[in-house]
């Protein structure tokens, strides 16, 4: 397995887990918070989408998917406390956008050489992601960092255990 194959595999696994946890949730359930101090799933999913575009743009300018106007702002950290449903998408809209963003990300990665992946990351990432390849791995695993919030919410809602 080559480096890009491992990256694609990590992305596929992260996507599968996150999407499975969302698969039987309705739009109103996406606005529930799993616990006090946690973000609701609608904001979290938008954050993952926006973050991926931002991360791709930081390492491959012009290659990130163009998000709908106002999307990134609606999912910025200062909006994490908002429970206004009108500011968020439904599950199917998020997942459709997720697919478009991920497709653009994979295309950007496919265009990178091994030397590109070994290059230094943007300066503000170097403390935890020293190379472009490390940033790509962050993109790959970021959904799994947030998937843990879906599990207690699923339990609260009486959803089946999936993994």
């Amino acid at each position: 397995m080559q480096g890009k194959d491992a990256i694609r595999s990590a992305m596929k696994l992260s996507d599968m887990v996150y999407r499975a946890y969302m698969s039987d949730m309705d739009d109103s359930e996406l606005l529930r918070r799993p616990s006090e101090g946690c973000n609701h799933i609608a904001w979290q999913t938008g954050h993952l989408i926006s973050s991926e575009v931002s991360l791709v743009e930081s390492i491959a300018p012009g290659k990130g998917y163009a998000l709908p106007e106002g999307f990134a702002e609606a999912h910025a950290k200062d909006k994490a406390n908002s429970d206004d449903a009108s500011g968020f998408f439904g599950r199917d809209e998020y997942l459709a956008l997720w697919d478009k963003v991920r497709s653009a990300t994979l295309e950007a990665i496919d265009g990178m050489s091994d030397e590109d992946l070994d290059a230094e990351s943007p300066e503000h990432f170097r403390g935890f992601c020293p190379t472009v390849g490390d940033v790509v791995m962050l993109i790959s695993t970021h959904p799994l960092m947030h998937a843990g919030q879906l599990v207690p919410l699923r339990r609260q809602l009486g959803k089946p255990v999936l993994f």
Side-chain angles (χ1 to χ4, degrees):
M1 180 181 282
Q2 300 299 312
K4 287 185 191 178
D5 297 324
I7 290 165
R8 282 188 210 92
S9 182
M11 286 183 168
K12 185 177 177 181
L13 177 65
S14 290
D15 285 358
M16 187 262 311
V17 169
Y18 198 89
R19 292 174 78 95
Y21 285 155
M22 285 185 68
S23 67
D24 55 355
M25 290 188 163
D26 66 38
D27 295 347
S28 67
E29 291 169 336
L30 295 184
L31 291 168
R32 287 190 51 175
R33 296 177 187 275
S35 180
E36 186 178 329
C38 289
N39 301 318
H40 58 66
I41 305 311
W43 180 87
Q44 177 176 284
T45 304
H47 159 75
L48 287 167
I49 291 167
S50 296
S51 294
E52 183 163 328
V53 171
S54 178
L55 289 165
V56 169
E57 284 295 315
S58 76
I59 58 172
K63 300 293 184 182
Y65 184 80
L67 294 172
E69 188 174 330
F71 185 88
E73 295 79 11
H75 297 87
K77 286 184 182 182
D78 66 334
K79 299 289 192 234
N81 292 325
S82 175
D83 292 318
D84 179 5
S86 69
F88 298 98
F89 284 17
R91 182 194 67 205
D92 294 341
E93 293 170 293
Y94 278 119
L95 294 178
L97 185 56
W98 181 300
D99 289 341
K100 292 173 184 175
V101 167
R102 185 50 55 97
S103 178
T105 299
L106 287 167
E107 189 174 320
I109 293 165
D110 286 343
M112 293 179 184
S113 66
D114 288 343
E115 292 78 21
D116 293 332
L117 292 170
D118 284 337
E120 274 190 325
S121 66
E123 189 172 342
H124 60 283
F125 290 119
R126 290 187 196 143
F128 61 98
C129 291
T131 68
V132 168
D134 291 317
V135 174
V136 172
M137 286 307 299
L138 173 62
I139 294 168
S140 302
T141 58
H142 192 196
L144 291 178
M145 294 176 190
H146 290 275
Q149 290 189 51
L150 282 147
V151 174
L153 180 58
R154 290 185 61 77
R155 299 287 167 84
Q156 290 172 13
L157 296 170
K159 306 279 185 191
V161 174
L162 298 177
F163 299 103

